[in-house]
Amino acid sequence: MNLYGLIIGIACVIGIDYFSKNNHIIPKKLENIFLFGLLVSGVFGARIYHVIDQWSFYQHNPSLIIQTWHGGLAIYGAIIAIGIYIYLFSLIHRISFLKILDSITSVLPLCQAIGRFGNFFNHEIPTWWLEASLNLILFFIIRSKKLVNYTPTSLYLIGYGTIRFFIEFFRNDTWTINNFKIAQLISIIFIFTGLLLNRRERIKVAKKHH
């Protein structure tokens, strides 16, 4: 295993440990299968996003598609795949989708911050240090719980959406269609979704006080 894979592994272990210690929503008998599905869907989504982005290369080198240890795991692909997996899991087991998301998004920025160090050792993404630093700040903001009208998920969506939208101006290695960066489009969707969730939380809090 190279340093990239090791660091991604460390990020996953820290995330799993944090989740296990703070999990109050997934029944313990389902926790292991939930976490396994989370990891598989995350890696699969991250790789698929990257392969689609770099299809002009992979269509001529299909044998390299599964070689994730060389890099090429896109965080937005992972987040989207994990979101779909959690939604299906919540439907099957009749557990609140948003509550599961809150338990994951609480630690996700920390895992992303650690994971960006893998980009450093893989000699990719010059802005890795900036995104790692901002993700770490976002983790502590979510963890502080001082913004009472914001759920962890709404804070994460607004926070990371803003971070990534900003970072994309300094990157020239991400998926672009007609000079428009796909990551910035996803970032905008994240921000607006987070704002909608925040509005929903404010309405819920207001109703409790009436």
Side-chain angles (χ1 to χ4, degrees):
M1 179 184 288
N2 60 15
L3 281 172
Y4 178 83
L6 177 62
I7 290 171
I8 296 298
I10 290 172
C12 290
V13 169
I14 289 174
I16 289 171
D17 182 66
Y18 183 97
F19 174 82
S20 296
K21 289 179 178 178
N22 296 276
N23 171 36
H24 303 295
I25 185 65
I26 304 293
K28 287 298 179 182
K29 63 180 180 180
L30 297 175
E31 189 174 282
N32 287 339
I33 187 65
F34 171 73
L35 290 172
F36 177 76
L38 206 68
L39 289 174
V40 171
S41 61
V43 173
F44 180 78
R47 190 59 173 177
I48 289 297
Y49 185 103
H50 170 75
V51 170
I52 294 173
D53 174 16
Q54 303 293 327
W55 183 243
S56 59
F57 170 77
Y58 286 106
Q59 65 178 333
H60 301 296
N61 301 275
S63 63
L64 298 180
I65 290 176
I66 63 172
Q67 296 185 24
T68 57
W69 51 89
H70 294 306
L73 296 175
I75 186 61
Y76 266 149
I79 294 170
I80 292 168
I82 284 173
I84 294 171
Y85 167 74
I86 291 176
Y87 179 70
L88 294 175
F89 186 92
S90 70
L91 286 180
I92 293 170
H93 297 286
R94 298 181 180 180
I95 303 172
S96 169
F97 173 58
L98 289 177
K99 286 183 178 180
I100 299 178
L101 283 182
D102 285 341
S103 68
I104 299 298
T105 51
S106 297
V107 69
L108 191 53
L110 175 62
C111 298
Q112 289 177 237
I114 296 169
R116 282 302 178 198
F117 281 85
N119 298 129
F120 167 71
F121 288 110
N122 235 28
H123 307 291
E124 56 188 8
I125 310 180
T127 58
W128 70 269
W129 60 273
L130 180 57
E131 187 168 336
S133 301
L134 293 173
N135 276 326
L136 193 58
I137 292 171
L138 178 59
F139 168 70
F140 285 115
I141 289 173
I142 294 174
R143 186 175 170 80
S144 71
K145 298 179 181 179
K146 289 183 178 180
L147 300 175
V148 294
N149 290 329
Y150 289 81
T151 63
T153 300
S154 64
L155 270 177
Y156 174 79
L157 291 172
I158 296 169
Y160 186 64
T162 303
I163 289 169
R164 188 59 185 271
F165 187 86
F166 169 74
I167 292 291
E168 283 297 307
F169 286 112
F170 303 96
R171 292 185 61 174
N172 57 9
D173 60 339
T174 54
W175 190 1
T176 303
I177 297 178
N178 295 326
N179 295 320
F180 194 87
K181 294 191 172 184
I182 299 302
Q184 286 189 316
L185 173 61
I186 298 173
S187 296
I188 292 170
I189 293 172
F190 269 39
I191 293 168
F192 276 99
T193 303
L195 290 172
L196 286 173
L197 287 176
N198 170 244
R199 184 174 182 276
R200 176 179 178 271
E201 186 65 18
R202 285 177 180 275
I203 291 173
K204 188 166 67 173
V205 171
K207 285 182 177 179
K208 285 182 179 180
H209 289 85
H210 280 76

